[in-house]
């Protein structure tokens, strides 16, 4: 099956610092989706990227899709305690399902 | 409330038993997906149904089965349970079969096998 790797697995940041998680695939992706899962919660859809080199912003969150469509990143500027959770990328190449990356667990220290 | 309803929220059962997890998709969504999330693990795709028909299978054990009914709710049946089956089981739904525009997840069923 598809393999989508995310790094880092864990990240601890001081509140106000920036945070970035990276998603890498060995194959070309048709699209990639990002989700956030709060501790004890369920995954919540954030965004979908489809085009090569695409960049989308949601307030302090910036999502990028690589030119070769094999990697993606999520950058959070000036983290807040509400950003705590696990961020997953998901490979949407398959016609009928998403394959989720391994996730990056973000801890924000007040 | 995401619109996807999963019951029960918690389930504790003994090894060797059988349980049924239930999912009602968001109104209007035709696709239902089941995922398993073990402690500190990612989301493992189990199976997908679209408008009543099985569309895709992932790493679903033979002891597990699922179905989607005419009213589009879905059930995941887990039998001959083992300790290692303890996990969070999520149901998600989407309108298109490919999930464009994202999946909507339910709050999950936490299964504990003792």
């Amino acid at each position: 099956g598809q393999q989508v790797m995310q790094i880092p697995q864990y990240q601890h940041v001081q509140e106000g610092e920036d945070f970035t998680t990276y998603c890498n695939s060995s194959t070309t992706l048709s699209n990639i989706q990002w989700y956030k899962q709060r501790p004890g919660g369920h995954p919540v859809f954030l965004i979908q990227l489809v085009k090569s080199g695409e960049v989308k912003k949601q307030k302090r969150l910036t999502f990028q899709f690589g030119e070769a469509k094999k990697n993606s990143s999520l950058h959070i500027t000036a983290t807040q305690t509400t950003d705590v959770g696990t961020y997953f990328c998901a490979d949407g190449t398959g016609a009928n399902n998403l394959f989720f990356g391994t996730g990056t667990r973000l801890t924000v220290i007040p | 409330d995401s619109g996807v309803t999963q019951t029960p929220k918690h389930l504790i059962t003994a090894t060797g038993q059988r349980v049924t997890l239930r999912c009602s998709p968001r109104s209007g969504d035709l696709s239902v997906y089941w995922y398993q999330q073990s402690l500190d693990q990612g989301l493992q795709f189990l199976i997908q149904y679209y408008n009543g028909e099985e569309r895709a299978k992932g790493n679903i054990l033979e002891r597990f089965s699922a179905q989607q009914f005419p009213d589009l709710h879905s059930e995941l049946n887990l039998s001959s349970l083992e300790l290692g089956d303890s996990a969070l089981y999520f149901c998600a739904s989407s309108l298109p079969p490919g999930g464009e525009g994202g999946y909507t997840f339910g709050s999950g069923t936490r299964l504990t096998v003792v």
Side-chain angles (χ1 to χ4, degrees):
Chain A
Q2 287 88 331
Q3 281 277 333
V4 180
M5 304 303 296
Q6 271 186 264
I7 53 171
Q9 188 175 1
Y10 301 95
Q11 184 77 61
H12 296 249
V13 300
Q14 207 71 35
E15 189 174 15
E17 291 181 341
D18 292 357
F19 158 77
T20 304
T21 173
Y22 300 90
C23 187
N24 297 295
S25 170
S26 58
T27 59
T28 302
L29 307 171
S30 63
N31 70 83
I32 195 159
Q33 299 183 12
W34 285 91
Y35 291 77
K36 176 184 178 181
Q37 184 176 17
R38 293 181 186 274
H42 58 273
V44 174
F45 173 73
L46 294 176
I47 209 160
Q48 177 173 293
L49 304 172
V50 179
K51 299 177 183 176
S52 168
E54 189 169 15
V55 178
K56 287 188 176 180
K57 293 190 176 185
Q58 290 179 351
K59 296 183 180 178
R60 294 177 297 102
L61 277 60
T62 301
F63 304 84
Q64 293 190 354
F65 203 8
E67 292 291 339
K69 299 182 73 173
K70 288 187 175 181
N71 56 73
S72 181
S73 65
L74 159 59
H75 179 82
I76 302 178
T77 303
T79 54
Q80 300 175 358
T81 54
T82 53
D83 295 326
V84 164
T86 300
Y87 292 85
F88 291 98
C89 63
D91 171 14
T93 303
N96 296 307
N97 54 73
L98 288 176
F99 285 93
F100 282 79
T102 45
T104 296
R105 180 177 293 183
L106 172 64
T107 301
V108 179
I109 304 163
Chain B
D1 182 9
S2 68
V4 176
T5 304
Q6 286 189 251
T7 57
K9 291 194 185 304
H10 302 275
L11 200 48
I12 301 175
T13 190
T15 54
Q17 295 298 305
R18 171 189 168 96
V19 297
T20 297
L21 313 184
R22 183 188 167 100
C23 169
S24 292
R26 192 178 57 166
S27 178
D29 286 355
L30 300 178
S31 277
V32 170
Y33 314 81
W34 287 97
Y35 283 83
Q36 180 193 57
Q37 186 174 44
S38 302
L39 191 64
D40 285 338
Q41 295 293 311
L43 291 149
Q44 300 298 317
F45 170 68
L46 296 178
I47 198 164
Q48 182 217 0
Y49 282 85
Y50 176 73
N51 205 18
E53 293 186 2
E54 182 185 305
R55 273 293 183 99
K57 262 187 177 181
N59 298 323
I60 187 166
L61 300 172
E62 285 191 11
R63 299 183 285 108
F64 296 1
S65 65
Q67 54 185 326
Q68 186 179 31
F69 295 86
D71 66 353
L72 300 179
H73 91 270
S74 177
E75 292 182 355
L76 179 66
N77 301 296
L78 315 176
S79 61
S80 303
L81 284 168
E82 302 174 359
L83 295 178
D85 297 326
S86 296
L88 256 176
Y89 290 85
F90 285 108
C91 167
S93 73
S94 72
L95 172 57
E100 294 88 356
Y103 290 5
T104 302
F105 280 79
S107 56
T109 293
R110 182 173 295 281
L111 173 67
T112 303
V113 183
V114 298

